[in-house]
Amino acid sequence: MSPPVLVTGAAGFIGAAVCERLLARGERVLGFDNLNAYYDPALKRARLARLATLAAPQQWGFVPQALEDAAAIEALFQAERPNRVVHLAAQAGVRHSIENPAAYLSSNLLGFGHVLEACRHHGVEHLVYASSSSVYGGNTNLPFSEAQAVNHPVSLYAATKKANELMAHSYSHLYGLPATGLRFFTVYGPWGRPDMAPMLFARAILAGEPIQVFNHGRMRRDFTYIDDVVEGVIRCLDKPATPDPGFEAMHPDPATSWAPHRVFNIGNSQPVELLCFIALLEQALGRPAIKVLLPMQPGDVEATAADTSLLEAWVGFRPFTPLEQGVERFAHWYLSDWASNGAV
């Protein structure tokens, strides 16, 4: 059999969607996830059960394991010999990182180091890993460009994601590991994370409960539909990072390198106010929201917006799903699938 694509975080929102796309095009896929209780593991198990129904015999495998277990990761790479790795596993959540920083140091730094070591020692052809728009931190120069410095994170989560980019670059330089970092911008859609606004708001609206709207709803976010994110991940996976022949060490561009390492934004490039997103969700669900307007929370930023010109130049794609269409699809899934099964 051909070597599998290893997808870490396979039970997560983006991870499961990436696995689904890879399976649909006939790839062998090996999923990896620790199924932790950061949010209800029942949703993670439901995603995995769905993937199992979509896979042909011998096409899908899953390993319930933690990134922090170096021996387990080494044994997995030794046994399965994945030729490409999509690393999406991490301790997620900006606000949670303020309350529980140790989890982020362990998973996002130590765990990522274990993945890099395994890729190094087992000849992985391409590592694609998740970064985040949060690395832009206190920058207010919109839209965010990969050429901008990201030296002012406002949460530990953001700091760990910048650290991941630096760690990956060093492995690309020292060991020739092709690696591509993807900065995701506010991903939403069916099977989304229940700790993020779309799922939180949908549940509360349908239950007639109030929703907390921070910064009085004036925050602007570059909401990016899940299918667009997956398309960007797959296209980047299919085009391993290469050194930039035009890289100038005297005027270094943070987006490229003399090493086989690249960084790309994946965002919709159409930021909207949170109140606008809520209005679209109210319309799609057919219910009004009870809004509790609150001030900005620590770790949040007022606005995000992605410049995706580098992504388009590299793989010929940029996210395009209009927010109205994406919210309608999300609401349809929530009402017809998730809520109808008693998940509200």
Side-chain angles (χ1 to χ4, degrees):
M1 290 187 294
S2 61
V5 180
L6 175 63
V7 180
T8 72
F13 175 29
I14 300 175
V18 168
C19 288
E20 180 178 347
R21 185 71 65 86
L22 289 169
L23 291 170
R25 70 176 194 174
E27 300 266 12
R28 278 189 68 216
V29 181
L30 181 62
F32 179 103
D33 202 294
N34 69 354
L35 299 172
N36 69 22
Y38 170 64
Y39 61 79
D40 188 356
L43 175 55
K44 301 176 184 181
R45 288 192 292 268
R47 294 182 185 126
L48 291 175
R50 184 169 178 272
L51 288 172
T53 68
L54 299 174
Q58 307 301 316
Q59 192 186 6
W60 165 250
F62 176 73
V63 178
Q65 192 54 265
L67 293 172
E68 294 87 343
D69 191 336
I73 291 178
E74 170 60 25
L76 177 67
F77 274 74
Q78 183 70 36
E80 298 290 344
R81 301 286 179 177
N83 60 352
R84 290 161 293 160
V85 175
V86 182
H87 178 63
L88 302 172
Q91 178 56 59
V94 168
R95 292 166 190 161
H96 187 62
S97 70
I98 299 171
E99 303 163 2
N100 190 14
Y104 293 77
L105 300 175
S106 179
S107 177
N108 298 9
L109 299 182
L110 180 63
F112 187 53
H114 293 159
V115 171
L116 287 170
E117 273 291 277
C119 289
R120 166 198 173 191
H121 288 294
H122 293 281
V124 166
E125 298 170 6
H126 192 199
L127 167 66
V128 173
Y129 65 94
S131 185
S132 169
S133 62
S134 67
V135 300
Y136 290 104
N139 181 9
T140 59
N141 183 13
L142 301 178
F144 295 147
S145 163
E146 301 91 337
Q148 296 170 349
V150 288
N151 296 323
H152 300 90
V154 296
S155 70
L156 181 63
Y157 171 72
T160 64
K161 286 301 182 179
K162 178 183 177 179
N164 287 170
E165 295 180 2
L166 298 175
M167 293 164 71
H169 181 271
S170 67
Y171 270 71
S172 296
H173 165 63
L174 291 169
Y175 310 115
L177 172 65
T180 301
L182 301 177
R183 294 172 177 172
F184 300 137
F185 281 69
T186 316
V187 188
Y188 75 101
W191 297 98
R193 272 175 38 201
D195 63 314
M196 294 189 70
M199 292 279 277
L200 286 171
F201 290 170
R203 189 206 65 79
I205 289 171
L206 292 174
E209 298 172 356
I211 61 174
Q212 294 183 327
V213 183
F214 295 104
N215 197 32
H216 305 281
R218 293 193 296 270
M219 287 191 298
R220 294 175 62 82
R221 289 290 181 268
D222 202 346
F223 290 98
T224 310
Y225 191 64
I226 181 63
D227 290 0
D228 290 338
V229 169
V230 171
E231 184 68 25
V233 171
I234 298 298
R235 291 200 186 202
C236 286
L237 179 65
D238 289 345
K239 187 174 182 179
T242 58
D244 179 2
F247 185 83
E248 298 183 31
M250 288 293 292
H251 304 283
D253 181 350
T256 67
S257 175
W258 66 87
H261 181 264
R262 302 275 175 149
V263 176
F264 299 107
N265 291 333
I266 299 187
N268 204 46
S269 305
Q270 299 289 330
V272 300
E273 283 198 350
L274 188 56
L275 286 175
C276 175
F277 180 88
I278 294 170
L280 290 172
L281 188 58
E282 289 174 312
Q283 180 180 341
L285 294 174
R287 303 273 187 91
I290 304 169
K291 296 181 280 288
V292 178
L293 303 181
L294 298 170
M296 187 88 113
Q297 280 200 317
D300 273 346
V301 297
E302 289 194 4
T304 64
D307 178 344
T308 59
S309 55
L310 285 184
L311 177 71
E312 187 171 9
W314 185 249
V315 295
F317 172 78
R318 62 180 179 84
F320 62 88
T321 302
L323 185 62
E324 295 82 359
Q325 186 179 97
V327 170
E328 185 176 342
R329 290 177 184 172
F330 165 74
H332 175 76
W333 166 81
Y334 197 96
L335 292 170
S336 64
D337 193 333
W338 198 241
S340 63
N341 290 323
V344 175

